[in-house]
Amino acid sequence: DTAVSQTPKYLVTQMGNDKSIKCEQNLGHDTMYWYKQDSKKFLKIMFSYNNKELIINETVPNRFSPKSPDKAHLNLHINSLELGDSAVYFCASSQDPGPSTDTQYFGPGTRLTVL
Amino acid sequence: DQQVKQNSPSLSVQEGRISILNCDYTNSMFDYFLWYKKYPAEGPTFLISISSIKDKNEDGRFTVFLNKSAKHLSLHIVPSQPGDSAVYFCAASGGTGKLIFGQGTTLQVKP
């Protein structure tokens, strides 16, 4: 019974295309996140939503737009894909973004390859 | 500016021995630290955490030590098992919900 799931697991596309990655969590958490793991394996936060409200927005190009239809879902839409967008994207969720003792749980990742 | 650093990219230990993974941080505002384990083609899995008000937290074979004055934490795995072979990420939080990750250490436990 998957706690945080992402689709698709692999995504190969051409430069300039628009694509979306979907994330769902069944943990009943209030907060969801998107992270990017680049070619150097660094995991960096991109966005965070709490109860459908954007609370963290790192310096990410505005071609990336998160959308949260409800608190169990956080999708990532990417416009005009570029070669540098190739990475593994991880979705995560946690109960509450406030307390420092909050633990985030990650999905399996989506490997995006832009040709 | 890398606020969380794992200076050892890899570590190899013999099965049954102790594995010690290290992590350093620079931001004194961090007050919660976590270790995640990651297998290839999977997401990071939460392993163990520690609040800055403690200096040790233990969970079975895994113990995390925190030295606030040195801004250093370590993960001890005793005894190490081949199934522990994975990439281990250290992460830190300052209460904003934003986790800052180190670059990971690949642990190989040899049978």
Side-chain angles (χ1 to χ4, degrees):
Chain A
D1 195 19
T2 306
V4 182
S5 59
Q6 295 178 229
T7 53
K9 190 164 177 63
Y10 299 97
L11 183 54
V12 181
T13 187
Q14 299 288 331
M15 264 194 334
N17 284 349
D18 303 338
K19 290 293 178 185
S20 292
I21 306 171
K22 297 186 177 181
C23 178
E24 177 181 3
Q25 55 95 3
N26 62 8
L27 297 168
H29 287 165
D30 291 332
T31 306
M32 296 184 72
Y33 310 80
W34 276 109
Y35 285 82
K36 178 181 180 181
Q37 186 179 34
D38 60 24
S39 57
K40 294 183 179 179
K41 307 301 181 186
F42 283 101
L43 264 164
K44 293 184 180 178
I45 191 165
M46 301 171 69
F47 301 102
S48 170
Y49 268 74
N50 176 256
N51 278 319
K52 303 196 298 176
E53 182 181 342
L54 182 66
I55 55 171
I56 295 176
N57 186 351
E58 291 296 287
T59 50
V60 176
N62 57 14
R63 299 182 294 104
F64 290 78
S65 53
K67 287 182 171 52
S68 181
D70 55 61
K71 72 174 192 177
H73 295 84
L74 181 62
N75 304 324
L76 183 64
H77 189 76
I78 315 170
N79 289 327
S80 303
L81 278 155
E82 300 177 357
L83 292 176
D85 298 332
S86 295
V88 182
Y89 293 84
F90 290 98
C91 177
S93 74
S94 67
Q95 183 56 47
D96 192 311
S100 289
T101 54
D102 190 40
T103 298
Q104 296 180 21
Y105 296 88
F106 284 78
T110 296
R111 180 175 290 278
L112 171 64
T113 303
V114 182
L115 304 175
Chain B
D1 178 27
Q2 204 177 327
Q3 299 183 68
V4 178
K5 294 181 183 180
Q6 294 175 254
N7 292 317
S8 298
S10 63
L11 175 67
S12 182
V13 300
Q14 210 62 38
E15 181 179 5
R17 306 296 288 269
I18 184 172
S19 296
I20 300 176
L21 296 99
N22 294 304
C23 177
D24 297 296
Y25 63 96
T26 57
N27 190 338
S28 58
M29 298 302 291
F30 290 147
D31 58 4
Y32 186 55
F33 304 89
L34 309 91
W35 284 94
Y36 284 85
K37 174 180 177 180
K38 186 181 179 306
Y39 292 118
E42 294 184 13
T45 302
F46 170 70
L47 197 56
I48 193 170
S49 62
I50 188 167
S51 166
S52 60
I53 61 173
K54 295 185 175 182
D55 54 18
K56 178 182 174 182
N57 188 25
E58 196 170 350
D59 184 2
R61 297 186 297 113
F62 303 91
T63 303
V64 57
F65 295 92
L66 175 62
N67 183 332
K68 282 179 61 179
S69 60
K71 295 191 178 67
H72 176 84
L73 63 156
S74 60
L75 173 68
H76 292 211
I77 307 173
V78 183
S80 301
Q81 299 173 354
D84 296 330
S85 297
V87 179
Y88 288 78
F89 288 96
C90 167
S93 169
T96 62
K98 186 166 70 173
L99 285 182
I100 307 298
F101 282 85
Q103 63 270 52
T105 296
T106 301
L107 173 65
Q108 182 186 26
V109 180
K110 297 179 179 177

